[in-house]
Amino acid sequence: MPNIGKELKNCRRQLKMTLPEMAARLNVSTTTIVNYETGRRMPDIDFLIDLAETSGTSLIYWLWLRVEASKSAGAAKAKALLDTIVDTHGSSSAQPDKPFVSLPLYDIRDVANAVSTPVQGIVADEMLQFSTTWIKRELNAAP
């Protein structure tokens, strides 16, 4: 599972911003950004709103990560609500994408010896989850 601190750091690096630059842009101290990135503190809602606006990323994604990090008894319910919002509104340009995409894991060992046949691996009972941010950034693909 993604970690909000690591994702914040990745976002900052993707924006090619130093700690002081990001802190100035978001009207917080450099120490605050460091505390968020290292997980010593969790960002509040105002910070997440400003971060999403500044970075052009999905507020729902940041909220989902923040709720994921929560130890509150209501965190699971909040996550389900965020998932419902994404499911209801889809992934149009006006609405954010889901934070993760699940893909089936294929067992292709059975076709490793059959070079001349098309690869048709057997779907395993497992799913792999990928962050939509990672898919966009690393693969330059639409989730």
Side-chain angles (χ1 to χ4, degrees):
M1 283 288 159
N3 169 296
I4 193 165
K6 288 179 184 177
E7 288 297 308
L8 175 59
K9 190 173 195 174
N10 289 339
C11 180
R12 179 176 57 80
R13 287 180 174 169
Q14 189 174 0
L15 294 170
K16 296 180 176 33
M17 295 175 92
T18 63
L19 284 165
E21 289 170 338
M22 180 169 258
R25 179 79 70 84
L26 297 172
N27 298 314
V28 296
S29 70
T30 302
T31 303
T32 297
I33 300 290
V34 169
N35 285 336
Y36 291 164
E37 287 185 359
T38 59
R40 281 183 235 144
R41 285 188 47 211
M42 287 291 134
D44 62 23
I45 185 72
D46 293 328
F47 177 85
L48 295 177
I49 291 168
D50 291 343
L51 173 63
E53 187 174 311
T54 297
S55 64
T57 55
S58 165
L59 174 60
I60 296 293
Y61 176 71
W62 293 109
L63 290 173
W64 196 95
L65 287 174
R66 177 60 183 89
V67 170
E68 178 71 24
S70 176
K71 293 176 175 55
S72 169
K77 189 174 182 179
K79 259 196 310 191
L81 179 60
L82 289 170
D83 287 341
T84 301
I85 291 169
V86 172
D87 289 341
T88 301
H89 296 289
S91 59
S92 69
S93 59
Q95 293 295 328
D97 292 329
K98 285 188 175 184
F100 303 98
V101 175
S102 296
L103 299 173
L105 177 64
Y106 286 90
D107 183 356
I108 60 168
R109 288 176 287 182
D110 61 326
V111 294
N113 297 326
V115 178
S116 62
T117 61
V119 176
Q120 297 179 3
I122 300 168
V123 178
D125 290 334
E126 297 177 47
M127 297 291 279
L128 300 174
Q129 290 205 347
F130 296 91
S131 160
T132 55
T133 303
W134 181 85
I135 291 171
K136 289 175 188 174
R137 182 182 64 236
E138 299 297 326
L139 304 177
N140 197 26

